[in-house]
Amino acid sequence: MENKKLMIEKATFPVTGMMCAVCAGTVQKTVGELTGVRAAEVNFATSSVTVEWDSGVMSPAMIAEAVRKAGYDMIVAGDEAEAVEEKERQEAVAYRSLKMKVIIAWVLTLPVAVLCMTHIHFPGEAWWYMAATLIVMTVCGRGFYVRGFRSLIKGRPTMDTLVALSTAVSFLFSFFNTLWPEFLEGRGVRADLYYEGAAMIIAFVLTGKLMEGRSRRNTGAALRALMGMQPSEALRIGRDGKIETVKISHIVPGDLLRVRPGERIPVDGRVEEGVTSVDESMLTGEPAKVEKQKGDKVSSGTVNGLGSVTIRADKVGADTELSRIIRSVREAQGSKAPVQKLVDRISAVFVPTVIALAILTFVVWSAFGSEYLPQALVASVSVLVIACPCALGLATPTAIMVGIGKGARKGILVKDATALELLSKVNTLLLDKTGTVTEGHPRVTDTFFAPGYGEGEGRERLCALLYGAEIDSTHPLAEALSLYFRQEGIVPVRPGHTDYIPGKGMKFEADGKSWFIGSADIAKADGEFVSKAAEWQDNGLGVVAASCDGSPVALFCVEDRIQPGVAEAIRSMKDKGIEVAMITGDKRSAAGNMAARAGISEVYAEMMPSGKLEVVLELRSRGRVVAMAGDGINDAEALAEADVSVAMGTGSDIAIDVAQLTLVGGRLSMLPEAMGLSSRTVRIIRENLFWAFIYNIIGIPIAAGVLFPFGIMLTPMIASAAMALSSVCVVGNSLRI
């Protein structure tokens, strides 16, 4: 039998209609059980579901249909921007509808509540109360009953189920007493009416949802601000030289675009014509504008200064750096911190437990005698209402969402909620040297050539080959050499074949010979070369060696500078008890010199990528919580194994892909701020969970009537108000981050 090839796709879809964490669990279970779906993760705070599916078996439309049958809506659109736009449109419509329902509910509920509480009687009052309450339930609260009873039938009760059951019981009991008051009165029990309780529950829950919706919009402000940086249109220069306005989606790599002063740059590309300065603070966090001229890179979303420039598009749409950041932020806000797993397990059994407690409360009260039947009803309904799990479900995701959003706006890109939680627990920090502690832009300051290669055609041919081999490399030392050759006026000659040796350098074949450029110790150097390399290295300078058929032909002295603010950042982290060490492939002398200047006392030098990995594993085996910061391909293994991995945004794509956290501007000085953000977020999560748990631990017994002997009985009306307030408090507390 032929095996069918899996065609795995992954995407995030907006979901509307979820009212609590249990609703999110219902959507996740519904999607996760579909044939062809490999994984499903729902985030209640962002109202979205991330799905991984086999496109040969399942499709987004089929997933959306399953979600709809579960009582919710999943938005499937042509692209991400369109889906978000449709979600925001639907949410705006739903918000206006909810606002109108709240107004109607209070207009009808307040007179009922006031008349009942003041004991003002008039002919037909019970029927008037019943009519007003019925309108509130069917017009304003209809969604609770549709979703609530549907989920109850499927065996997955939610917050809607609690509201639907509590109000339905209150209304039906009151309706029975309105029709046949003599049934209870003939048995010595007052035929009380609880119409105002049912109406007030719906009014308060709707009001809480309105306030929660308004507050939760603030938690997504950072992501919306990032998306607002993407221009929707651009000026494209046609083949005939005419300029036309086109949508961003119509631009392809290679197009020439005109960017006027003050406009946002629409794509990632290079300047083809003109000189300007660009505000790149959204990427680097630095307020100073960066000068741009022909050949310089520009990024989507950055703001052009006073000059008008022509740029050639390199990356467009979802491939731009800004789109990558937006995508990472959204995925991170949808990821779950370790503490959330406990909350999810609790939420899964919370509603069934509450229903059981409400039934038990009714049974216990009724056991005292028929005269306690009204108290039994009030207590059981109050338990159903006050125990809503909204606050518990919002406690972690809203804090994570706000924390990640705050970081993104400051150039701290968190890709995983786990990293945001663990970063505050880090006690050991490993730092790569080049591009992490240093600026990563070394310059060639001196050279040394073997006889026959230091001048004339020999030097020109050697430099041309080395330039051709290094010109496409993004390694800082390769860029330093390329800059040196370019300034020397060398024309690059591309070798036929090149091989990159991790941690060592590059081999290539040219002119029938085998060439190498990289670490100084790989060449069979003679005395002069050894002494010259040692002289530079003793002074803490970097050395790049070139050899031909194993014999040294040139040495290049390169020097890098420590990033501004790094020494202060390292001192700050050491003051917090974090052990900081440098881990690098450079020579011990060069690494030691740079570490001393940065204030780092422990150095792991001359480390291959496997060696860096072994250091991380050894530290973790000793119980240390290890963070690793790096920027190169040779750091990828160690980054992947560290408890928290940090990449410099100016480094290699591989390091950025592996890392859980990226400092977009490539500035290590931002790391203490990221740690501070982690500490604040974790503190807020703990506060939210504490209050959510305490609220239920205290509220449920009071609602059940444990304080009745002291004359205190919680009414469903007060319980619904307290429930709504708890959710708003959790969201408000999260916004303090």
Side-chain angles (χ1 to χ4, degrees):
M1 181 176 177
E2 185 180 352
N3 292 326
K4 186 176 180 179
K5 186 178 179 181
L6 293 176
M7 294 175 288
I8 304 304
E9 294 188 30
K10 183 178 180 180
T12 299
F13 303 98
V15 177
T16 59
M18 294 189 297
M19 299 288 282
C20 67
V22 182
C23 296
T26 299
V27 174
Q28 181 165 315
K29 191 170 183 180
T30 298
V31 176
E33 291 176 348
L34 294 174
T35 303
V37 172
R38 293 167 60 89
E41 195 72 61
V42 174
N43 187 300
F44 176 45
T46 58
S47 298
S48 63
V49 57
T50 300
V51 189
E52 189 176 322
W53 74 94
D54 178 3
S55 59
V57 178
M58 185 56 58
S59 70
M62 295 165 67
I63 298 172
E65 178 62 20
V67 172
R68 188 192 63 77
K69 288 180 179 179
Y72 310 91
D73 287 318
M74 188 183 93
I75 300 172
V76 179
D79 55 41
E80 186 178 41
E82 186 180 335
V84 172
E85 184 178 341
E86 175 62 19
K87 177 194 172 187
E88 292 186 347
R89 187 192 67 79
Q90 289 191 17
E91 286 181 342
V93 172
Y95 185 82
R96 289 194 296 270
S97 174
L98 180 58
K99 194 172 183 179
M100 182 57 65
K101 289 178 181 177
V102 168
I103 293 172
I104 295 172
W106 282 114
V107 166
L108 293 173
T109 300
L110 281 177
V112 173
V114 170
L115 291 172
C116 288
M117 292 176 183
T118 55
H119 302 288
I120 297 176
H121 302 288
F122 55 91
E125 59 180 315
W127 294 97
W128 190 87
Y129 296 155
M130 183 195 70
T133 302
L134 192 60
I135 293 173
V136 171
M137 293 173 67
T138 56
V139 174
C140 304
R142 180 179 178 274
F144 293 126
Y145 303 101
V146 173
R147 294 187 298 265
F149 288 119
R150 179 187 291 168
S151 60
L152 183 62
I153 292 170
K154 291 187 175 182
R156 299 172 184 171
T158 66
M159 187 209 83
D160 291 330
T161 307
L162 298 182
V163 175
L165 285 175
S166 60
T167 54
V169 169
S170 296
F171 180 84
L172 292 174
F173 182 78
S174 302
F175 183 62
F176 180 86
N177 288 343
T178 300
L179 292 177
W180 300 288
E182 65 279 0
F183 181 84
L184 291 180
E185 290 174 351
R187 291 166 174 76
V189 179
R190 291 185 343 189
D192 291 326
L193 303 179
Y194 295 100
Y195 288 123
E196 85 283 358
M200 288 292 278
I201 288 171
I202 291 176
F204 269 123
V205 172
L206 289 176
T207 302
K209 288 299 160 190
L210 187 69
M211 297 171 65
E212 182 185 309
R214 182 182 298 171
S215 299
R216 283 171 63 187
R217 276 192 62 81
N218 292 333
T219 65
L223 186 58
R224 288 194 297 275
L226 285 172
M227 295 185 69
M229 293 178 179
Q230 293 180 307
S232 59
E233 296 179 333
L235 297 176
R236 182 169 63 187
I237 303 175
R239 295 181 181 275
D240 56 1
K242 292 183 178 180
I243 298 178
E244 59 176 341
T245 301
V246 297
K247 290 184 177 295
I248 293 295
S249 58
H250 295 165
I251 297 174
V252 297
D255 280 352
L256 287 176
L257 308 173
R258 193 69 174 167
V259 184
R260 296 172 297 196
E263 292 182 336
R264 288 194 180 274
I265 293 171
V267 298
D268 289 357
R270 295 179 181 274
V271 176
E272 285 287 320
E273 182 182 323
V275 177
T276 189
S277 59
V278 176
D279 179 358
E280 296 184 334
S281 57
M282 52 82 66
L283 289 176
T284 65
E286 294 288 347
K289 293 186 176 181
V290 181
E291 297 296 325
K292 300 289 183 181
Q293 55 186 346
K294 184 174 181 179
D296 289 338
K297 293 181 179 180
V298 290
S299 299
S300 172
T302 57
V303 182
N304 186 29
L306 298 178
S308 184
V309 292
T310 299
I311 64 172
R312 186 175 296 279
D314 288 337
K315 296 180 179 179
V316 301
D319 296 328
T320 65
E321 178 70 8
L322 179 58
S323 294
R324 186 185 67 80
I325 291 174
I326 292 171
R327 192 161 51 250
S328 294
V329 170
R330 178 176 286 112
E331 289 176 358
Q333 289 183 332
S335 62
K336 294 184 178 181
V339 69
Q340 180 65 20
K341 296 176 182 178
L342 172 63
V343 176
D344 287 345
R345 288 196 294 270
I346 294 172
S347 296
V349 299
F350 194 86
V351 174
T353 302
V354 169
I355 293 175
L357 286 174
I359 295 172
L360 179 63
T361 299
F362 185 85
V363 171
V364 171
W365 273 99
S366 300
F368 288 112
S370 60
E371 65 273 18
Y372 285 97
L373 187 59
Q375 284 83 1
L377 177 67
V378 168
S380 58
V381 169
S382 296
V383 168
L384 285 173
V385 173
I386 202 169
C388 170
C390 280
L392 189 63
L394 287 168
T396 299
T398 51
I400 290 292
M401 188 175 178
V402 173
I404 289 173
K406 291 278 187 182
R409 299 182 75 168
K410 293 185 177 183
I412 302 167
L413 184 59
V414 181
K415 295 166 61 179
D416 186 351
T418 301
L420 191 62
E421 183 174 336
L422 286 179
L423 190 58
S424 63
K425 302 176 183 178
V426 166
N427 51 32
T428 303
L429 174 64
L430 299 177
L431 302 173
D432 178 45
K433 181 177 79 71
T434 305
T436 303
V437 172
T438 68
E439 291 182 342
H441 300 292
R443 298 288 185 268
V444 175
T445 58
D446 201 356
T447 58
F448 184 81
F449 291 92
Y453 291 96
E455 57 186 9
E457 292 183 3
R459 181 183 186 280
E460 186 172 342
R461 181 62 179 176
L462 169 64
C463 291
L465 290 173
L466 297 179
Y467 189 9
E470 297 279 42
I471 194 169
D472 290 330
S473 175
T474 58
H475 191 284
L477 294 180
E479 291 181 348
L481 290 172
S482 294
L483 176 62
Y484 169 75
F485 293 136
R486 185 164 63 249
Q487 291 174 340
E488 290 287 305
I490 302 297
V491 177
V493 175
R494 301 270 186 170
H497 178 71
T498 59
D499 284 318
Y500 173 69
I501 305 173
K504 290 292 185 180
M506 186 179 293
K507 291 174 62 177
F508 61 93
E509 303 292 327
D511 298 340
K513 300 176 181 178
S514 177
W515 302 78
F516 173 83
I517 182 166
S519 300
D521 63 349
I522 202 169
K524 294 181 290 186
D526 60 20
E528 273 192 288
F529 272 83
V530 171
S531 60
K532 178 57 70 174
E535 176 189 335
W536 290 340
Q537 290 171 343
D538 288 344
N539 291 321
L541 302 174
V543 179
V544 178
S547 64
C548 177
D549 289 336
S551 299
V553 292
L555 291 175
F556 300 90
C557 176
V558 292
E559 183 177 9
D560 202 355
R561 294 182 299 177
I562 292 179
Q563 287 187 28
V566 164
E568 292 80 2
I570 290 173
R571 185 165 55 250
S572 171
M573 289 183 281
K574 290 170 72 174
D575 289 343
K576 294 177 182 177
I578 300 173
E579 294 182 6
V580 182
M582 179 182 287
I583 184 165
T584 177
D586 282 0
K587 293 289 186 180
R588 184 165 298 279
S589 56
N593 179 279
M594 193 63 71
R597 289 160 58 188
I600 302 173
S601 55
E602 188 172 3
V603 178
Y604 298 93
E606 303 178 24
M607 303 294 294
M608 296 290 288
S610 57
K612 293 184 178 183
L613 174 62
E614 289 173 4
V615 170
V616 172
L617 291 171
E618 195 274 331
L619 288 170
R620 291 189 65 192
S621 69
R622 285 162 38 194
R624 309 296 293 176
V625 181
V626 181
M628 167 76 185
D631 73 320
I633 296 173
N634 58 337
D635 300 317
E637 287 181 274
L639 286 170
E641 189 60 39
D643 294 293
V644 179
S645 49
V646 183
M648 300 297 110
T650 52
S652 72
D653 289 341
I654 293 177
I656 292 172
D657 288 342
V658 169
Q660 299 163 298
L661 186 149
T662 301
L663 305 180
V664 178
R667 296 180 296 118
L668 188 65
S669 57
M670 298 165 68
L671 190 53
E673 187 169 359
M675 290 180 168
L677 177 66
S678 170
S679 298
R680 292 195 300 275
T681 303
V682 170
R683 186 184 71 248
I684 291 295
I685 289 174
R686 288 172 179 166
E687 290 175 2
N688 286 348
L689 289 174
F690 172 80
W691 289 113
F693 278 114
I694 288 297
Y695 166 81
N696 284 297
I697 290 171
I698 295 175
I700 291 177
I702 294 176
V706 295
L707 297 181
F708 181 73
F710 303 98
I712 299 175
M713 193 72 183
L714 199 65
T715 67
M717 178 175 60
I718 297 175
S720 62
M723 180 273 292
L725 185 61
S726 67
S727 296
V728 175
C729 287
V730 164
V731 175
N733 191 45
S734 298
L735 292 173
R736 292 174 49 234
I737 296 176

